[in-house]
Amino acid sequence: MKSRLIATAIAVAFPALSHGQVAELLAAPLNSYEQLYNRVQKQVGADLAQARGYTGKGAVVAILDTGFEGSHPELKTQFASTQMFDASTGKYVAITDGNGHGTHVAGIVAGSTGTGYSYGIAPDARVLPIKVFTSSTWTASSTALAAGLKNATANNSVSVISMSLGGSGPLGGTFETALRNTVNADKLVVVAAGNSAGTDPQWPARYAKESWAKGQIVAVGAVDANNQIASFSNRAGDTANWYLVAPGTSVLSSYRGGSYAYMSGTSMATPVVAGAAALLEAAWPQLKAGQVAAILFQTATDLGAPGVDAIYGRGLLNVDRAMQPVGTLSVPTSGTKTVSTSATVLRTSAASWSGLRAAAAAGQFRGVSVDAFNRDFAVDYGAGIRAPARDGMAALLATAGRPLWVNEQVARDGSRFLSAVEVERPHGSFAGEDEQRTLVATSALFKLAGGKELALAGGSLAGRYFGLAELDGTLANPYLGLTRSAAQLAFGLSRGAWQVKAGVLDGGLNAAMAGQHGPAERASGGRALVGELNYAVDDAAMVGAQLADVAEADGWLGASGSAGLGLSSARTRTLTAHGSYRLSDAVTLAAQYSIARTSDARGDALLAAARGVRSEAFALGLVGHGNFLVGDRLSLTLSSPMRISRGTAKVEMPVDITAAGDPVFESRRVPLASTSRELKLALDYAMPLSATTSLSWVAALRDNADHVAGERDVQAGMVYRAAF
């Protein structure tokens, strides 16, 4: 059976044109006429998408219509073929249009910029002219439509097919077979809903509701400049889930004789949607036709009743939103892991901050992320690289205000025991049964026969057995601090002027110990094996060397990242030389220098590894007791925290998505060396006021803070402590 279709267009008077001034949006500048007369672009947000560089370059839209005027300035450079297929005769002919309807539609899809009074939704796309209407009656048979579909489907470059036409009933088996084949060939078909003001779309738009359409057919209705359904437009009806509306009243576009015309109809709304589909296809050629339609449906602006309704269907086409991410952005990785882009954060340490900061500023962490449709979007992962946390006055005061129970005992043989427990009374001072106690720190040193000793510690006192830390906490080896909240198990042996120490620091062990005394937060931390040899030169001087093998979990050199920018493990071997000299009974001069090599640093996302990393740290200090008052304590230190001197990180950066939908990675070597050196001068003086109270002053000056040249940090504060 043959059905006859009428091109659905309503001609509107062509008014005089005048100049106007609007900001230019495209790389090829719009002229003043285009800036003034193309409200459709703004109504659907196409101008915003074009301003971000989405212009449809590479996409081809087949338009089944009355033909095109080949010499029109809007279209003469936009054709995907030098000839036009005439479906009614089955022959290729010159590109012409004796009606003007097809020329108008083509200009809405892909009219070029800077050439006249209008321009297309996808001005850099190409259009393939397929004539399906006879020149004598301007009607089209279902047979001609089927032939036109076959021609478009056979063209591998075509991704979108636009049909601004419709009939009152189904179009017969020949056409339906051709349409099914088009769907199966992964083409998106955009069809006018019709101009009879009906409750349902006309055919072939109404085929969109069929299961075999696979969501690849989009029915398009028309709205006016106020986003109200046009009086002539067929409504969504039973095709609501596959129905969009777009501007379709008084739309300016190219016309016969090199002219321009305002026309109205769902014929005009349809190429607006087809142009938007071309933008998507050009930007992300890996998208399937069903995905393109789904994006247009999901990003549409809801109109009418909330949600999908029988008038507006999915709502108004929103090109700007369609070209933006849908759902949660994630990081493409070489494995099966899914990592959220927003959670891709690296909290650096002082050792790693300045090098990574410089690399991020140089664009080394720029790549792409993907949305729910596997579309790639440019992103700078360097924004997730955060500066290290600083030990400021607020943290010091907060620590000073903690209610602690401290118990210290010294045995006759020199063994020492110390514990600090934080007490919380959430329900008031007298609700003793509700007290929560958390072990903050503990230390036990057992003096054994034959110069042997056993040293146990947990919390902030772990590691104080080694090096200069027992002399003053500011002189502790910073590499041992990489174990984070570790527990200490160590042994010592003294023979004459020589002393040997060996032990382990373990984060998991500390969590278990703390859990015996109350709620404790289990941190994976790390583990360190420590060996130390000290030699007493005389009664006043001591020198020593320390070897440590530190294994970090979920971090490297103190930096801690999420899955996207994290390293799952790292191993650092360090050699430290230290020494002290007692200037007087009350004052000791001490110094230490550490060098280290970090290896086996591996990750499974953006950061793949850290290689050849060398680092160093030093400290020089004066420590005094009882200098001015009985029981006072003074420390003055000049130090440089851990600093990477050389090394690189291997970054596997996703930079593109192939037409097959697979991520493309670029392997980059990111330098990690610090760009400067921090020097920190710190003063800490504490004096007792009574048996239960004390007052202390602290001050610190950091030059090139966190090894960033020119960064300065000055802190000072006073702390009053009282025991109750």
Side-chain angles (χ1 to χ4, degrees), residues 177 210 426 463 603:
T177 298
E210 301 297 334

Side-chain angles (χ1 to χ4, degrees), residues 268-316:
M268 284 61 254
T270 298
V272 175
V273 175
L279 294 180
L280 289 168
E281 291 279 4
W284 298 284
Q286 74 273 16
L287 290 175
K288 300 298 184 182
Q291 291 178 305
V292 173
I295 292 169
L296 296 178
F297 291 144
Q298 291 185 31
T299 58
T301 302
D302 192 26
L303 297 179
V308 181
D309 66 272
I311 296 177
Y312 296 95
R314 294 282 191 153
L316 175 68

Side-chain angles (χ1 to χ4, degrees), residues 173-439:
T174 301
F175 175 80
E176 290 180 17
T177 298
L179 187 56
R180 285 172 182 257
N181 291 337
T182 299
V183 168
N184 292 334
D186 194 39
K187 310 291 186 182
L188 181 69
V189 184
V190 185
V191 194
N195 296 339
S196 55
T199 57
D200 300 304
Q202 290 183 318
W203 308 86
R206 205 167 175 187
Y207 284 118
K209 64 185 177 63
E210 301 297 334
S211 60
W212 53 260
K214 302 177 183 179
Q216 293 174 218
I217 301 176
V218 182
V220 184
V223 292
D224 61 20
N226 297 315
N227 291 335
Q228 297 297 309
I229 194 76
S231 59
F232 54 79
S233 177
N234 286 352
R235 276 53 172 170
D238 59 7
T239 316
N241 282 319
W242 303 274
Y243 180 99
L244 287 172
V245 293
T249 62
S250 300
V251 178
L252 178 66
S253 184
S254 46
Y255 198 62
R256 287 186 300 172
S259 67
Y260 297 81
Y262 284 97
M263 297 180 73
S264 295
T266 55
S267 282
M268 284 61 254
T270 298
V272 175
V273 175
L279 294 180
L280 289 168
E281 291 279 4
W284 298 284
Q286 74 273 16
L287 290 175
K288 300 298 184 182
Q291 291 178 305
V292 173
I295 292 169
L296 296 178
F297 291 144
Q298 291 185 31
T299 58
T301 302
D302 192 26
L303 297 179
V308 181
D309 66 272
I311 296 177
Y312 296 95
R314 294 282 191 153
L316 175 68
L317 173 72
N318 190 324
V319 181
D320 180 41
R321 191 182 297 170
M323 305 307 291
Q324 295 186 39
V326 174
T328 301
L329 282 174
S330 59
V331 184
T333 62
S334 55
T336 59
K337 183 181 224 176
T338 299
V339 181
S340 170
T341 299
S342 61
T344 303
V345 174
L346 175 64
R347 174 65 72 178
T348 64
S349 60
S352 57
W353 167 237
S354 72
L356 287 172
R357 176 177 179 267
Q364 293 282 2
F365 289 92
R366 292 175 187 160
V368 299
S369 58
V370 295
D371 72 349
F373 289 92
N374 199 35
R375 293 186 295 168
D376 55 306
F377 292 87
V379 63
D380 187 356
Y381 292 104
I385 298 176
R386 310 288 171 77
R390 295 186 177 182
D391 296 327
M393 290 297 110
L396 176 63
L397 294 174
T399 303
R402 299 167 71 185
L404 299 177
W405 285 2
V406 180
N407 182 27
E408 183 176 17
Q409 297 179 0
V410 180
R412 291 183 179 180
D413 63 357
S415 297
R416 300 192 303 274
F417 310 93
L418 185 147
S419 65
V421 177
E422 182 177 9
V423 181
E424 296 184 17
R425 298 185 177 94
H427 303 294
S429 301
F430 302 102
E433 67 275 13
D434 293 324
E435 289 180 354
Q436 293 183 357
R437 301 185 180 189
T438 303
L439 184 65

Side-chain angles (χ1 to χ4, degrees), residues 480-487 504-512 520-528 550-556 558-561 567-570:
L480 299 186
L482 297 177
T483 57
R484 301 198 307 272
S485 300
V504 61
L505 302 176
D506 189 282
L509 180 61
N510 178 67
E521 182 177 328
R522 291 182 176 269
S524 57
R527 176 179 296 178
V550 182
E552 294 178 81
D554 301 322
W556 56 288
S560 179
L567 288 174
S568 57
S569 62

Side-chain angles (χ1 to χ4, degrees), residues 26-164:
L26 303 178
L30 304 178
N31 63 41
S32 58
Y33 300 106
E34 292 167 329
Q35 293 169 0
L36 180 63
Y37 289 106
N38 287 272
R39 64 161 176 86
V40 171
Q41 309 281 347
K42 294 181 176 60
Q43 194 170 344
V44 297
D47 57 337
L48 301 176
Q50 292 162 352
R52 295 196 304 276
Y54 297 117
T55 59
K57 187 173 183 178
V60 176
V61 179
I63 299 178
L64 279 59
D65 215 292
T66 63
F68 304 162
E69 184 171 278
S71 61
H72 200 289
E74 294 292 339
L75 301 174
K76 63 183 180 181
T77 61
Q78 309 299 91
F79 298 123
S81 173
T82 58
Q83 289 185 307
M84 176 174 69
F85 179 71
D86 188 335
S88 62
T89 64
K91 298 179 180 180
Y92 284 91
V93 297
I95 301 176
T96 58
D97 180 11
N99 179 280
H101 183 271
T103 301
H104 198 274
V105 168
I108 296 172
V109 173
S112 59
T113 57
T115 55
Y117 293 101
S118 67
Y119 65 104
I121 299 295
D124 283 334
R126 294 292 180 264
V127 287
L128 180 69
I130 298 178
K131 183 182 178 184
V132 294
F133 290 91
T134 62
S135 301
S136 58
T137 61
W138 297 116
T139 58
S141 68
S142 59
T143 303
L145 281 176
L149 272 180
K150 286 182 180 179
N151 184 269
T153 302
N155 192 317
N156 292 331
S157 65
V158 170
S159 54
V160 181
I161 298 173
S162 178
M163 294 194 290
S164 290

